[in-house]
Amino acid sequence: MKAVFLDARTLGDDVTLAPIEDVTGPLTCHDRTGPDQVIERLEGFDTVLVNKVVLGREHFEACPELKTIAVVATGLNNIDLKAAEEHGVKVLNVTHYGRSTVAQHTMALILALATRLLDYNRDVKAGRWAESDMFCLMDHPIMELEGKAMGIIGYGDLGQGVAERAKAFGMNVVLGCRPGQEAGEVDGLRRIPLDELLPQVDVLSLHCLLTDDTRNLIGAEELKQMKDTALIINTSRGGLVDEQALADALRAGTIGGGGFDVLTEEPPRNGNPLLADDIPNLIVTPHSAWASREARQRIVDIIAGRLGELA
């Protein structure tokens, strides 16, 4: 194989690509590749590794020697799969690499929101505890997770990992149907329609892909169905939730809190309704739920194994 990695920096500089090079031989790496650089950097290579670089029909037509695309992520929305198939280009991706780290991040968001961790930390730093007339502060309501209902939409590898951890906290896990998905029972858990799920959950965690059917899955009407104390967590894909509707609901106090690791546009160079500084009990992290060193190295190892199957 003659391989090039177009956006190697997206995996960080603390992982080793040696497992891939054991399969492909020396790997040409570019930190980042702009849209106007793709074709020139593909020329002469039969294998390309990408994370977020977009590859479309024009690239396959200009580079007929290209035979394999290895996407170092699960999502394939940056690849024109139909055009790849038509040009005989095999597309590989990575699954089951981030169960532990994404589930850990999801629970961290839930715990921080439920305990109002950031609010109390902010109060301490502002001197409010030192000024208190008793031994503690209790200004922000704290939710005890044990016995609460955890709703999960998307019960794949990541959803299952979150369910395991939610159960460890004594939560009652209920699954929600994605559009077109039938109700029933999975792994002993009930899967029920969304309009039945939303009114009963104390925490809603999203773990499904973004498709035409799931875009704005949770909008203004769905938020109105939820408890005003409920927390909504999205460590999956930006666009699953109507961000303006959520910002409005949080300001109005009709939803209890939100924890988001993903936004509709990433990075949010054009701003985002959830980045306003007047929204209460909201935590936004920079798409970092997947990014433990262990998970990133696991991506390398898995993609090396998949490439090895082709060698």
Side-chain angles (χ1 to χ4, degrees), residues 243-310:
E243 293 158 335
Q244 185 61 62
L246 177 60
D248 293 342
L250 287 166
R251 288 191 183 97
T254 55
I255 202 78
F260 274 55
D261 186 55
V262 289
L263 296 176
T264 303
E265 180 190 27
E266 297 175 346
R269 293 191 176 94
N270 297 302
N272 186 284
L274 296 182
L275 298 181
D277 59 10
D278 65 336
I279 303 176
N281 211 26
L282 173 67
I283 300 173
V284 179
T285 53
H287 204 136
S288 56
W290 69 285
S292 70
R293 187 196 60 78
E294 292 87 350
R296 287 180 284 114
Q297 188 62 58
R298 202 173 293 125
I299 288 172
V300 171
D301 297 341
I302 292 171
I303 209 68
R306 298 213 62 192
L307 288 170
E309 293 171 359
L310 302 179

Side-chain angles (χ1 to χ4, degrees), residues 22 35 53 68 113 123 163 172 184-185 215 241 257 259 288 300:
D22 287 343
V53 172
T68 304
L113 292 165
D123 287 348
N172 301 314
E185 186 174 301
R215 190 177 305 279
V241 177
S288 56
V300 171

